[in-house]
Amino acid sequence: MPKYYARTFLPWILLAVVSGVDDRAGAAAGLAAALVLLGHDLRRGHRADSLILEISTSVFMAALTALAFAAPGSPVLDYGASLAIGWLALTAWATLLLGRPFTAGIARRQVTAEIAATDVFRSINRVLTTVWAASFTVLASALGCVQHWSPDATALLVAVKVAGFMVPAVVTARYPEAARRRHLTRLGLPLTEAPATSQPEPSSR
């Protein structure tokens, strides 16, 4: 998985791991990590459209933490993992409906304004965001089923999560370059000429 996504999903990983011991501690750990990452990126001057996942994560973790402390016995907490991924799915679909796919903001960090304004750049990011949104949706549904029918099947939960994240991660790593090559081929240009429109991995420094 690209470094950016691994870093961005750290709060969700902490939530899943620590919640296995205590729901309140898991929610608090996820919230703390989300706020630290968001604060770090804001201090670096990143635009809001490149921090959609970070902002959405912070909002969800704040709500979950409030619930965990206000109603620690709530059955909703039993579905924390599926709810978390479902929230990411809603976030991703919303950015598509608004015409601002979240991957575009991330990719725009390291491409020129000219590249970001091209149709191929926008097309690539619509595809990538759709893949992430669909994957989040399927993953949330699968996790919900596992948590309902086999809540103690830890190995199965982990396998479902890994599969759910690996598919969009692989597409994110490979699709942009393939799309760029198809675009240049249609234009009749050599593949080594013309500016790259694939999206480089955002720096995590």
Side-chain angles (χ1 to χ4, degrees):
M1 177 180 293
K3 290 181 181 179
Y4 168 81
Y5 293 100
R7 173 181 177 275
T8 301
F9 295 138
L10 176 60
W12 307 95
I13 295 170
L14 286 174
L15 171 65
V17 173
V18 182
S19 291
V21 178
D22 182 85
D23 289 326
R24 288 177 294 184
L31 175 60
L35 292 177
V36 168
L37 292 176
L38 178 59
H40 179 260
D41 284 338
L42 288 173
R43 286 194 300 272
R44 293 177 61 203
H46 288 310
R47 294 165 35 138
D49 66 348
S50 70
L51 299 174
I52 292 174
L53 287 185
E54 288 86 346
I55 294 170
S56 178
T57 296
S58 297
V59 171
F60 179 85
M61 292 298 177
L64 186 65
T65 300
L67 175 64
F69 281 89
S74 173
V76 174
L77 297 174
D78 295 334
Y79 296 88
S82 54
L83 289 174
I85 303 302
W87 179 262
L88 288 178
L90 289 175
T91 299
W93 288 121
T95 65
L96 281 171
L97 290 175
L98 294 173
R100 295 179 176 275
F102 78 86
T103 59
I106 299 167
R108 198 176 288 116
R109 293 182 183 183
Q110 292 191 353
V111 298
T112 65
E114 289 75 16
I115 291 177
T118 62
D119 289 337
V120 67
F121 178 87
R122 289 190 287 267
S123 175
I124 286 172
N125 282 286
R126 283 194 297 270
V127 171
L128 292 181
T129 299
T130 299
V131 169
W132 279 102
S135 297
F136 286 148
T137 301
V138 172
L139 178 56
S141 300
L143 286 174
C145 290
V146 174
Q147 288 179 308
H148 180 74
W149 299 108
S150 303
D152 297 323
T154 303
L156 180 58
L157 285 169
V158 171
V160 171
K161 291 176 185 177
V162 170
F165 280 106
M166 283 303 298
V167 171
V170 170
V171 173
T172 297
R174 298 182 179 180
Y175 176 77
E177 179 61 17
R180 184 185 76 89
R181 287 174 172 273
R182 286 198 301 270
H183 175 68
L184 294 179
T185 299
R186 284 198 299 269
L187 295 177
L189 297 174
L191 298 181
T192 56
E193 295 184 8
T197 53
S198 58
Q199 38 197 75
E201 183 181 315
S203 172
S204 60
R205 292 181 297 175

